[in-house]
């Protein structure tokens, strides 16, 4: 028969260990200095816990990544990630390498993760490291863009990265009196929105020639977080309200480029999109899109849809249907939510094809 004293002895030992541990913490005996590094066993345990946690939390395997998402991710990486992780033509900073743990060279580690693992890391960040969570919980489309970029990153040359991640050249500000955007701020925007960056399948919207009031309201909403976007939140971070107005004025006066879609949609798809755009569908309580977005609407807070790619339009419509996302930066976004909620996937494809093909 087991000695009845054993449970008491075990409980006493556990209590004593707890007291010793708390005493060590209180006296500052546990070293938290980054300069001393981790013991090998500590490093092994922490890294093992991180990998196991990420793989356990990662969701199902995603659909194949769209190659056109890569450029969208590159612009954000240049502004938000380069300092810690470096780039194909830029080594990691000395300050980043002095962190504990140091941010990894992504060329060496991306291949060790699945797509869904990378999504988990970018979306939720990693505790006890410098890796933050994505600042816009409802923008999974942006996180997948970063995953697409990361998947392409290990094979990317410095020249290819620069072409995707930076402005082709600093665009000169248009004549707007004393309200001209600074060259570095303009270059930050042109890194993603320059006209020659808007390829056929671009997920980045064209803002040249967009309504000035709509651009200004959207930029303010991105800055405040009222309109969700992890990418745009970083892009406008630190800008003063007057700088946002300068950017809106600059891009509004630029020439609107045609829709980048290379192909005409199928006749049946084009006709279905035209009918929804011009007449809506009263039987399903879907209003005509052009009643707000047509040339004669007269409301400068309604964005223009001409010149946007099919991918951009489809993404925006899906965001307005997503209950977790916070798209739209004007007082009229609830009207758009109500309209988009009635659309079926076939409607989104038809409208994207119609507007995105320049009709």
């Amino acid at each position: 028969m087991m000695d009845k004293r054993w449970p008491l002895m075990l409980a006493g030992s556990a209590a004593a260990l707890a007291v010793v541990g708390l005493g060590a913490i209180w006296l500052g005996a546990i070293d938290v200095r980054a300069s001393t590094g981790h013991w090998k066993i500590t490093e092994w345990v922490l890294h093992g816990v991180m990998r196991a946690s990420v793989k356990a939390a990662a969701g199902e395997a995603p659909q194949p990544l769209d190659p056109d998402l890569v450029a969208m991710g590159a612009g954000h990486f240049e502004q938000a990630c380069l300092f810690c992780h470096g780039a194909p033509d830029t080594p990691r900073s000395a300050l980043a390498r002095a962190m504990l743990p140091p941010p990894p060279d992504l060329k060496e580690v991306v291949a060790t993760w699945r797509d869904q693992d990378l999504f988990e890391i970018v979306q939720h960040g990693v505790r006890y490291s410098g890796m933050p969570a994505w600042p816009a919980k409802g923008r999974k489309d942006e996180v997948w863009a970063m995953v697409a970029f990361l998947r392409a990153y290990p094979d990317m040359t410095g020249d290819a990265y620069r072409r995707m991640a930076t402005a082709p050249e600093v665009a000169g500000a248009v004549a707007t009196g004393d309200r001209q955007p600074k060259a570095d701020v303009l270059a930050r925007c042109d890194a993603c929105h320059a006209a020659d960056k808007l390829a056929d399948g671009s997920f980045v919207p064209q803002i040249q020639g967009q309504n000035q009031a709509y651009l200004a309201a959207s930029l303010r909403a991105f800055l405040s977080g009222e309109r969700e976007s992890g990418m745009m939140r970083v892009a406008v971070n630190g800008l003063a309200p007057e700088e946002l107005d300068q950017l809106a004025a600059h891009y509004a006066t630029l020439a609107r480029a045609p829709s980048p879609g290379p192909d005409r949609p199928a006749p049946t798809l084009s006709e279905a999109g035209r009918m929804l755009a011009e007449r809506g569908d009263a039987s399903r309580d879907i209003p005509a899109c052009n009643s707000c977005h047509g040339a004669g609407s007269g409301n400068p807070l309604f964005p223009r849809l001409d010149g946007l790619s099919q991918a951009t339009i489809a993404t925006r419509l899906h965001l307005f249907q997503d209950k977790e996302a916070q798209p739209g930066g004007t007082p009229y976004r609830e009207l758009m939510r109500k309209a988009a909620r009635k659309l079926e996937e076939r409607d989104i494809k038809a409208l994207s094809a119609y507007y995105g093909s320049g009709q």
Side-chain angles (χ1 to χ4, degrees):
M1 177 179 288
M2 178 181 291
D3 191 328
K4 294 182 178 180
R5 292 175 298 177
W6 274 106
L8 293 174
M9 294 172 63
L10 289 174
S13 299
L17 288 173
V19 170
V20 171
L22 290 173
I25 293 173
W26 183 259
L27 295 172
I30 298 176
D31 189 0
V32 298
R33 294 175 295 179
S35 61
T36 61
H38 285 310
W39 293 336
K40 287 296 183 182
I41 184 65
T42 305
E43 184 177 328
W44 180 80
V45 169
L46 291 176
H47 191 67
V49 167
M50 187 271 280
R51 291 193 70 88
S53 176
V54 168
K55 290 185 175 296
E60 296 295 321
Q63 296 296 317
L65 298 173
D66 192 324
D68 289 316
L69 287 169
V70 177
M72 181 178 174
H76 179 76
F77 187 90
E78 172 75 9
Q79 295 186 40
C81 312
L82 181 144
F83 177 82
C84 285
H85 294 287
D89 58 353
T90 307
R92 288 172 294 170
S93 68
L95 185 59
R97 293 196 302 272
M99 295 170 63
L100 186 68
D105 182 341
L106 295 177
K107 282 184 174 289
E108 299 175 358
V109 301
V110 164
T112 67
W113 296 103
R114 303 169 299 174
D115 289 350
Q116 57 267 44
D117 300 331
L118 293 173
F119 180 92
E120 173 71 16
I121 293 170
V122 175
Q123 172 82 334
H124 298 289
V126 180
R127 291 183 184 180
Y128 316 121
S129 76
M131 180 64 191
W134 193 255
K137 292 182 179 180
R139 293 302 302 270
K140 294 181 180 180
D141 60 306
E142 293 182 333
V143 178
W144 282 121
M146 295 307 301
V147 174
F149 169 78
L150 290 171
R151 188 55 72 204
Y153 182 83
D155 298 322
M156 200 175 292
T157 65
D159 287 343
Y161 172 80
R162 284 290 140 207
R163 285 195 298 271
M164 279 195 291
T166 61
E169 61 184 32
V170 177
V174 296
T176 54
D178 296 329
R179 297 165 55 84
Q180 297 181 353
K182 297 176 183 177
D184 60 332
V185 174
L186 201 54
R188 190 192 309 180
C189 299
D190 274 350
C192 292
H193 291 284
D196 57 358
K197 290 293 192 80
L198 305 178
D200 295 339
S202 176
F203 287 82
V204 177
Q206 177 181 185
I207 57 177
Q208 290 84 353
Q210 185 57 269
N211 295 332
Q212 181 176 339
Y214 171 78
L215 288 177
S218 295
L219 289 171
R220 279 178 162 75
F222 283 130
L223 183 62
S224 69
E226 183 180 1
R227 180 173 178 176
E228 270 197 322
S229 171
M231 293 180 174
M232 282 303 301
R233 190 73 182 272
V234 171
V236 300
N237 183 50
L239 296 182
E242 57 268 22
E243 291 181 291
L244 303 180
D245 291 337
Q246 291 165 4
L247 287 169
H250 168 75
Y251 282 105
T253 56
L254 297 181
R256 189 79 168 166
S259 299
D263 303 316
R264 306 288 289 183
T268 53
L269 195 62
S270 174
E271 180 62 15
R274 185 187 68 80
M275 291 292 290
L276 282 175
E278 295 180 356
R279 302 182 186 179
D281 187 340
S283 66
R284 293 187 288 153
D285 196 24
I286 298 175
C289 303
N290 284 349
S291 62
C292 291
H293 298 286
S297 72
N299 191 329
L301 287 176
F302 291 146
R304 296 178 60 175
L305 301 185
D306 61 297
L308 300 180
S309 69
Q310 296 184 39
T312 296
I313 294 174
T315 297
R316 294 298 180 269
L317 290 174
H318 284 132
L319 285 173
F320 276 110
Q321 291 184 327
D322 189 343
K323 294 180 180 179
E324 295 184 3
Q326 293 293 330
T330 76
Y332 301 97
R333 67 178 179 184
E334 290 307 316
L335 290 177
M336 189 61 213
R337 273 193 182 280
K338 183 178 179 181
R341 200 172 293 130
K342 306 292 180 65
L343 298 176
E344 299 177 9
E345 188 61 29
R346 60 186 173 90
D347 300 322
I348 291 177
K349 289 181 179 180
L351 287 169
S352 301
Y354 175 75
Y355 282 111
S357 59
Q359 299 195 47

